[in-house]
Amino acid sequence: MSDLREPVDLTNCDREPIHQLGAIQPFGFLLAVSLDWMVTRASTNLSEFLGVEQADALGRPVSSLILPEAVHTIRNKLTTIRSSDVVERIFDIALLPDQSRFDLAVHLQENLVILEGERCQQDKRNAPSLSMRSMMSRLDQTETLEAFFREGARQARALTGFDRVMVYRFDEGGSGEVVAEAARSGIGSFLGLHYPASDIPVQARALYLRNLFRIIADVDAMPVPVLPQLDEQGQPLDLSMSVLRSVSPIHIEYLKNMGVGASLSISIVVDGKLWGLFACHHYGPRLPSAQIRSTAELFGQMFASRLESRERRLALDYETKARRIADRLLTSVADNASLLDDPAWLIEALADAVPADGIGVWINGRIALAGTGPDEKAFAALVRHLNRNAGGRIYAVDRLGETYLEIDHGAAGMLAIPISRSPRDYVVLFRQELVRTVRWGGDPHKPVEYGPNGPRLTPRKSFEAWSELVRGRSLPFTEAERRVAETIRVTLIEVVLRLTDEASMARQMANERQELLIAELNHRVRNILSLITGIIRQSQTTSVSLGDYIRQLEGRIQSLARAHDQITRDHWAPASLRQLLSAETAAYLGKNAQRFRMSGEDVLLDPQAFSTAALVFHELMTNSAKYGSLSGAGSGTVELDWHRDDEGNLRIGWREKDGPPVADPKRHGFGSTIIRRSIPYDLGGKAEVRYMKEGLEADFFIPVRYVNAVGSSPLPDVAPAGAAQSAAASVNGEPLSGLKILLVENNLIIAMDGEDILRRLGAEVTTVPSVAEAMEILADQSFDFALLDVNLGDETSFGIADRLAADGVPFVFATGYGEGIAQANSHSDAPVLQKPYTTEGITDFLARVQLPKRG
């Protein structure tokens, strides 16, 4: 006869509906109440607590079972509940006329109110309890994480009175390890034991993340059914957030195999993830009072908060150290480019940042290897496999043999750091096999038996230490090490790009024209990246969700990209305003483009004006689609017309109609700032925005020097200023406190970025975009220091430098072209700051330049 039983594997436990067992533990009662306060379900032990039979309670108002005053208190408590994952508690409340005192737990489950009650433990309510402040103080005094865990276990045991309290930590695969323990003498130790992921299956870990506290008062207690088991839709009651929820028979058997009579679990949630548990065991029945359990739950949350702070501080210290190493690497390679081809030097340079046993370098098909790892043939094959991954992402694995079976890798772990996109270049760190013995709490493979609980995996019958030799694995690369690798990736990319630029310029030194073109191209690329850096930094001040923030950035950057595509098709020549508007309309409105009406004879805008206009009209289009005439499926329209006045200046009018009513916003965000200030600041034009009730109106004026008729000769190309660089490093203190600084910068977004950095460093900043305005400001005000952008569009800041030198005011040139451009004037001895403006760059510069002291 064939065996028709269900196949058994580890996923049987994962599929068990532990939140729908239809029963509770007998130390309390449960009522499921509809939103109009009628009893729909009740536990069969109701008469033991409220003196009413379960069947008689169904369909009756709650107020007929308990005192009206108690119902009123429960209603008030429900007003504080904001989600179905919140359980509120009411201590020492009278439910019956005889004034019997109860502790209640209340939560919402879809369209039901779940009430759970248990008798107050009168004899324990006045027992001495630990001060939460002193408990936290003891934790804070520990110096290491190991001591922190030990103290946490000791405090939890003192609070709960359980025989054994363990701090149980999960790894990435769900397996667990006992990292700390406090236990009464004579019961042995579980410290250092590992337990497989199947011991606490997937759905149990998910439940621990929702419901942070779990008590099993007596493993021998008979479960009490909650009836009816199914509602009118045939659905069981979800007891995920229940305090009294009954226990899976498999888990009961598991605990009995360990000799445990009662257990308690407190979730440790760090950064929104289940880090681990306080796992408490007692070798007989035990039920701490509801007040003590509530205090223990609060302790678990406070412990998790302290743990999160410690882990972040350790990670920050480690990453700060690694960044210093990356900075030294950058400086060394900048002085000696041949070091990048020396893997032995790279191993030494990176050893303190990300420990490794070997390294491989692949640059333009050239290979350099050192230490433990593959040979050249295998390394080349490995690089081909890495090229299948997404470009620009680091890749870590601690079981290299399982991932790349066909390659003789010669190592067990790998961290691949791509240092370019095309061609794909890599620095790869290798770790050798870590042969170690893991002490498992019983056989981690759990032999299958058909036991008393049907065709499932029975818990392990033996909890003696089970040692297993783990082969083919390296020490895993931690999350902090991967973040450090990302820092190194950015650093090395900058090195490779710098070396590439230098090599390219060296090959073309004989041709002065080509050299200038390369410098100009480098300047423009830096400017675009500086704009993006500024947009990112300024956008993050708005109060929006992460998704909206990402969409805003994508929209603004894509708008710049579309504009850049148009002005580069003709080698940075003036580009069509109509094409700009058509591209923005097509990208944003799609099939509804007919709601955007344009009129006017096409004109060409110079590149600087074209990029500025692209951002302005992108923000106008975005705002209209979100809040204005283009929002929703209505019939609202936007009319945009433009013309050139008698002097050739371009005048543009934006009119929204038939949309929702418009009001002047109380707060102007970054997008509104772009609309109102970009054209006046960047181009010396004008912008007027009116929030009319019928729809938004805006008028813009772009000076003639940026405007060309279609078919006319373009004006001389004007290079916008700016540059790009990595994100700013953190700075301690305010080294510029009390100093008045003049910032001369002709690009609004880059100027705003520079203002923010200087003000964070303590300075009082005045910003102007042109020579004329700088001279006017200098006639009325005095400054301690000046930061001068060399290129101000169609003029330079050298005249401002002459005035400052005459007044004895120290200044520095800022440029993205290189020091030669800034110093090709009468102030060749003036210091030069490479753009873009970054906190790191400015503070590093301050360390080398003596500034005047205020006061």
Side-chain angles (χ1 to χ4, degrees):
M1 184 175 179
S2 61
D3 188 348
L4 299 179
R5 294 180 298 182
E6 176 187 347
V8 179
D9 58 38
L10 289 176
T11 63
N12 290 111
C13 291
D14 292 343
R15 295 194 296 268
E16 186 177 20
I18 59 175
H19 62 302
Q20 296 177 345
L21 296 177
I24 62 171
Q25 299 178 66
F27 65 84
F29 68 88
L30 182 145
L31 290 174
V33 182
S34 64
L35 297 181
D36 58 355
W37 295 90
M38 305 296 291
V39 177
T40 63
R41 282 174 169 151
S43 58
T44 57
N45 64 348
L46 195 62
S47 62
E48 298 177 22
F49 295 89
L50 301 183
V52 179
E53 293 296 329
Q54 182 268 342
D56 294 337
L58 298 179
R60 290 173 56 181
V62 176
S63 57
S64 68
L65 304 181
I66 61 178
L67 294 173
E69 295 84 356
V71 175
H72 179 73
T73 301
I74 294 169
R75 284 177 179 269
N76 287 342
K77 183 63 70 172
L78 284 173
T79 62
T80 66
I81 296 178
R82 294 292 180 265
S83 78
S84 60
D85 285 356
V86 174
V87 179
E88 285 290 350
R89 292 172 174 81
I90 305 172
F91 299 110
D92 195 23
I93 183 173
L95 298 185
L96 301 174
D98 64 2
Q99 296 299 304
S100 298
R101 316 299 290 187
F102 290 84
D103 294 324
L104 296 183
V106 186
H107 73 275
L108 297 173
Q109 175 57 47
E110 294 185 348
N111 58 347
L112 295 175
V113 178
I114 307 298
L115 304 178
E116 298 176 273
E118 58 184 283
R119 289 189 177 88
C120 279
Q121 299 186 33
Q122 299 286 347
D123 57 330
K124 296 183 179 179
R125 278 192 303 155
N126 297 320
S129 61
L130 296 177
S131 162
M132 187 61 66
R133 178 177 296 178
S134 67
M135 294 171 73
M136 291 301 106
S137 176
R138 289 175 181 268
L139 285 175
D140 292 340
Q141 290 172 14
T142 58
E143 295 183 358
T144 65
L145 272 181
E146 290 75 13
F148 178 80
F149 297 150
R150 285 196 302 271
E151 186 61 33
R154 289 181 63 252
Q155 297 287 348
R157 182 166 184 259
L159 180 61
T160 63
F162 273 66
D163 289 333
R164 185 194 308 275
V165 174
M166 299 167 283
V167 177
Y168 185 87
R169 177 173 59 194
F170 293 111
D171 65 16
E172 293 182 356
S175 298
E177 178 187 3
V178 178
V179 296
E181 180 183 58
R184 68 174 171 84
S185 61
I187 62 173
S189 175
F190 290 171
L191 182 63
L193 290 184
H194 291 69
Y195 293 87
S198 54
D199 271 25
I200 303 179
V202 173
Q203 86 278 27
R205 295 196 295 273
L207 201 50
Y208 278 126
L209 191 57
R210 291 184 60 197
N211 194 340
L212 303 182
F213 193 91
R214 173 67 163 147
I215 179 72
I216 301 173
D218 185 354
V219 299
D220 292 319
M222 292 298 296
V224 176
V226 176
L227 300 178
Q229 286 193 350
L230 304 178
D231 62 14
E232 59 274 12
Q233 281 81 39
Q235 296 299 315
L237 183 62
D238 186 340
L239 294 176
S240 296
M241 302 304 297
S242 168
V243 172
L244 301 171
R245 173 167 49 87
S246 184
V247 190
S248 156
I250 291 183
H251 189 55
I252 289 292
E253 187 176 350
Y254 183 98
L255 293 174
K256 287 182 176 180
N257 289 340
M258 300 178 74
V260 173
S263 77
L264 183 152
S265 300
I266 308 171
S267 301
I268 302 173
V269 178
V270 174
D271 202 18
K273 298 178 181 178
L274 184 63
W275 181 95
L277 303 168
F278 282 103
C280 310
H281 290 170
H282 203 71
Y283 293 94
R286 181 165 184 79
L287 178 63
S289 71
Q291 287 184 329
I292 289 178
R293 301 198 313 262
S294 181
T295 302
E297 182 178 355
L298 175 60
F299 172 73
Q301 293 173 324
M302 298 287 286
F303 178 89
S305 176
R306 294 293 205 280
L307 174 58
E308 183 171 340
S309 297
R310 282 179 176 246
E311 288 193 336
R312 287 185 175 177
R313 187 165 61 248
L314 288 173
L316 179 61
D317 292 344
Y318 173 70
E319 291 176 33
T320 300
K321 173 185 173 184
R323 286 193 182 96
R324 288 197 294 266
I325 294 171
D327 290 342
R328 289 200 302 268
L329 183 148
L330 177 61
T331 303
S332 300
V333 176
D335 294 336
N336 183 2
S338 64
L339 290 175
L340 197 59
D341 294 328
D342 183 354
W345 177 83
L346 275 172
I347 284 183
E348 183 179 350
L350 301 178
D352 290 337
V354 182
D357 302 304
I359 191 168
V361 179
W362 174 284
I363 296 180
N364 290 326
R366 293 181 291 113
I367 296 175
L369 299 169
T372 300
D375 58 20
E376 289 195 2
K377 181 178 179 182
F379 185 63
L382 186 61
V383 168
R384 288 195 296 272
H385 278 275
L386 291 174
N387 286 339
R388 301 174 187 175
N389 298 332
R393 294 184 181 179
I394 63 171
Y395 176 70
V397 61
D398 61 359
R399 294 188 180 187
L400 195 56
E402 294 181 9
T403 307
Y404 303 110
L405 295 174
E406 68 277 20
I407 298 176
D408 183 13
H409 39 77
M414 171 189 74
L415 178 64
I417 307 173
I419 57 174
S420 65
R421 285 187 177 273
S422 180
R424 294 284 188 89
D425 296 328
Y426 296 94
V427 170
V428 185
L429 305 177
F430 295 102
R431 284 180 177 172
Q432 63 187 5
E433 181 182 51
L434 177 65
V435 180
R436 57 181 177 170
T437 298
V438 175
R439 297 173 60 240
W440 294 98
D443 183 353
H445 305 298
K446 278 192 175 180
V448 173
E449 297 177 12
Y450 278 80
N453 297 308
R456 299 172 177 153
L457 281 173
T458 4
R460 297 186 304 281
K461 300 300 182 185
S462 169
F463 284 85
E464 297 177 358
W466 175 277
S467 295
E468 179 183 355
L469 202 61
V470 180
R471 302 302 301 262
R473 297 187 63 176
S474 73
L475 185 70
F477 291 94
T478 66
E479 181 64 29
E481 287 173 336
R482 290 195 289 268
R483 286 195 296 268
V484 168
E486 177 62 23
T487 301
I488 293 171
R489 184 186 74 84
V490 173
T491 301
L492 291 179
I493 283 177
E494 186 171 346
V495 170
V496 171
L497 289 177
R498 179 180 296 180
L499 295 176
T500 301
D501 287 344
E502 290 175 356
S504 177
M505 293 175 66
R507 287 193 299 268
Q508 300 175 38
M509 287 188 64
N511 190 326
E512 184 178 355
R513 170 69 175 169
Q514 287 182 333
E515 185 177 88
L516 290 175
L517 288 175
I518 289 172
E520 184 69 9
L521 176 61
N522 181 52
H523 173 75
R524 296 190 191 281
V525 171
R526 285 173 177 262
N527 184 67
I528 292 170
L529 295 177
S530 286
L531 287 174
I532 294 173
T533 301
I535 287 173
I536 291 172
R537 188 173 285 121
Q538 295 299 323
S539 296
Q540 72 182 34
T541 61
T542 58
S543 300
V544 297
S545 68
L546 178 60
D548 289 339
Y549 171 61
I550 292 173
R551 284 189 287 275
Q552 282 181 358
L553 286 182
E554 286 178 342
R556 287 164 178 160
I557 293 171
Q558 287 171 3
S559 176
L560 280 176
R562 287 192 293 271
H564 188 267
D565 286 344
Q566 287 182 249
I567 58 181
T568 53
R569 288 191 191 114
D570 294 322
H571 308 287
W572 212 262
S576 164
L577 172 63
R578 183 176 291 275
Q579 288 182 14
L580 182 155
L581 297 171
S582 297
E584 192 65 33
T585 304
Y588 213 92
L589 297 181
K591 297 180 180 179
N592 295 320
Q594 71 279 359
R595 294 170 61 183
F596 185 87
R597 301 165 186 168
M598 297 182 289
S599 62
E601 184 177 349
D602 198 10
V603 295
L604 302 179
L605 297 180
D606 274 15
Q608 182 178 353
F610 194 91
S611 296
T612 299
L615 275 178
V616 169
F617 288 112
H618 170 77
E619 294 299 330
L620 283 167
M621 195 80 69
T622 301
N623 289 343
S624 182
K626 284 184 177 179
Y627 315 112
S629 296
L630 301 179
S631 61
S635 58
T637 61
V638 172
E639 294 183 2
L640 185 68
D641 65 87
W642 64 86
H643 67 277
R644 300 183 71 177
D645 60 21
D646 294 340
E647 297 176 356
N649 304 302
L650 183 63
R651 298 183 180 273
I652 306 172
W654 173 285
R655 302 289 183 270
E656 296 189 24
K657 298 181 178 180
D658 301 325
V662 173
D664 193 346
K666 296 180 180 179
R667 179 181 174 277
H668 292 281
F670 180 57
S672 299
T673 302
I674 288 177
I675 295 171
R676 291 183 291 106
R677 293 185 61 188
S678 288
I679 289 178
Y681 195 102
D682 290 347
L683 309 178
K686 298 177 182 177
E688 181 181 359
V689 179
R690 299 179 296 278
Y691 295 90
M692 310 298 291
K693 184 177 181 181
E694 304 77 30
L696 180 72
E697 295 183 2
D699 293 299
F700 303 98
F701 169 93
I702 298 178
V704 61
R705 65 179 178 274
Y706 298 106
V707 186
N708 295 274
V710 175
S712 66
S713 300
L715 293 175
D717 196 2
V718 179
Q725 192 159 310
S726 59
S730 60
V731 178
N732 294 323
E734 295 183 344
L736 301 181
S737 178
L739 294 182
K740 292 182 63 177
I741 293 182
L742 174 66
L743 173 62
V744 181
E745 169 59 66
N746 73 313
N747 182 285
L748 173 62
I749 294 175
I750 299 175
M752 292 170 67
D753 212 21
E755 286 177 357
D756 286 351
I757 293 172
L758 292 170
R759 284 173 179 152
R760 283 201 301 272
L761 296 177
E764 179 183 342
V765 185
T766 300
T767 307
V768 294
S770 66
V771 173
E773 292 187 41
M775 294 300 190
E776 185 176 344
I777 288 286
L778 289 170
D780 298 330
Q781 300 183 36
S782 61
F783 294 88
D784 301 298
F785 186 69
L787 188 58
L788 309 179
D789 179 20
V790 173
N791 191 311
L792 301 176
D794 55 358
E795 57 184 355
T796 69
S797 60
F798 297 148
I800 306 173
D802 294 339
R803 172 65 181 270
L804 292 169
D807 293 342
V809 178
F811 60 89
V812 59
F813 287 120
T815 179
Y817 283 99
E819 293 190 359
I821 298 295
Q823 295 179 342
N825 66 91
S826 57
H827 302 285
S828 58
D829 57 342
V832 176
L833 174 65
Q834 285 293 319
K835 292 175 66 179
Y837 304 120
T838 67
T839 306
E840 184 180 44
I842 290 178
T843 52
D844 179 68
F845 181 84
L846 294 178
R848 296 182 281 110
V849 177
Q850 186 68 34
L851 290 181
K853 298 296 182 182
R854 194 72 165 171

